[in-house]
Amino acid sequence: RVRDPWLRELTAAAAAAPVKPGTSQQGTGPGKKKFNVMQAVQRMTSPQKIKLALSGGKEARGLLTRESNKQVSTAVLANPRITDGEIEFFAKSTNLSEDIMLKIGTNSDWTKKYNVAHSLVNNPKCPPGIAVGFVIRMTEKDLGMLEKSRNVSEAVRSAARRLNAMKKMGKKSS
């Protein structure tokens, strides 16, 4: 059952659309079709997906971030109902596009939070230009982990190595 009222309206519109080959539909009676969110999103056009990304619920936002169309996937981040927890989850996710990482990394409200910055730095999909900027905010323990991590880019590892060496030099001279 679709709980989001806006999605319910789109689901009804999608039910009237012709069935794409290879997709299944569930019948709930003569002339009535019931779709879950994923099936409804599969039947939508790009403008409908963008509209859903801007106003849909959490489940729809999660699905639409994986969309191949960059306009749709980045429109999710403009949704006013998006939570900090979702942003942190997106920053950690290695199966999302670099465009989403770039948009998260350039939003100062989201990157103020240490967990979001930490997730971006440790995400191999995050562009090095964005990730290196957050290395300076990492704790000594996290810097040590970054130095040894093979999952991050060489630029991030070397920045962590340099910063860790500078911090150790500062402690020795004190």
Side-chain angles (χ1 to χ4, degrees), residues 1-21:
R1 218 177 115 145
V2 180
R3 290 189 179 117
D4 192 346
W6 195 87
L7 187 58
R8 199 175 307 126
E9 179 184 314
L10 277 177
T11 304
V19 179
K20 288 182 182 177

Side-chain angles (χ1 to χ4, degrees), residues 15-153:
V19 179
K20 288 182 182 177
T23 59
S24 63
Q25 58 191 37
Q26 303 169 351
T28 57
K32 289 192 176 186
K33 295 172 188 136
K34 184 178 176 183
F35 297 99
N36 65 23
V37 177
M38 186 180 292
Q39 289 169 330
V41 168
Q42 287 175 343
R43 294 170 166 265
M44 290 180 189
T45 62
S46 289
Q48 287 175 323
K49 288 178 184 179
I50 291 171
K51 194 171 182 182
L52 179 61
L54 292 170
S55 61
K58 184 176 182 177
E59 188 178 358
R61 289 192 299 264
L63 281 172
L64 292 172
T65 55
R66 294 179 193 89
E67 191 71 27
S68 60
N69 183 338
K70 291 177 185 178
Q71 287 181 318
V72 174
S73 60
T74 56
V76 170
L77 299 177
N79 188 318
R81 296 192 300 171
I82 200 161
T83 64
D84 293 336
E86 285 177 280
I87 294 298
E88 185 180 342
F89 176 77
F90 296 153
K92 281 181 186 174
S93 184
T94 57
N95 63 348
L96 298 181
S97 72
E98 288 185 17
D99 296 321
I100 291 179
M101 301 298 158
L102 184 66
K103 196 159 184 179
I104 292 171
T106 55
N107 185 312
S108 61
D109 290 337
W110 295 331
T111 55
K112 281 179 193 172
K113 294 164 183 57
Y114 182 81
N115 288 339
V116 173
H118 181 265
S119 298
L120 287 171
V121 167
N122 285 294
N123 191 332
K125 280 267 189 110
C126 186
I130 297 290
V132 169
F134 296 119
V135 171
I136 196 161
R137 293 181 45 199
M138 299 296 111
T139 62
E140 284 186 42
K141 180 181 175 186
D142 289 334
L143 284 174
M145 301 279 278
L146 276 173
E147 278 185 82
K148 297 170 189 153
S149 176
R150 293 283 171 200
N151 293 332
V152 296
S153 69

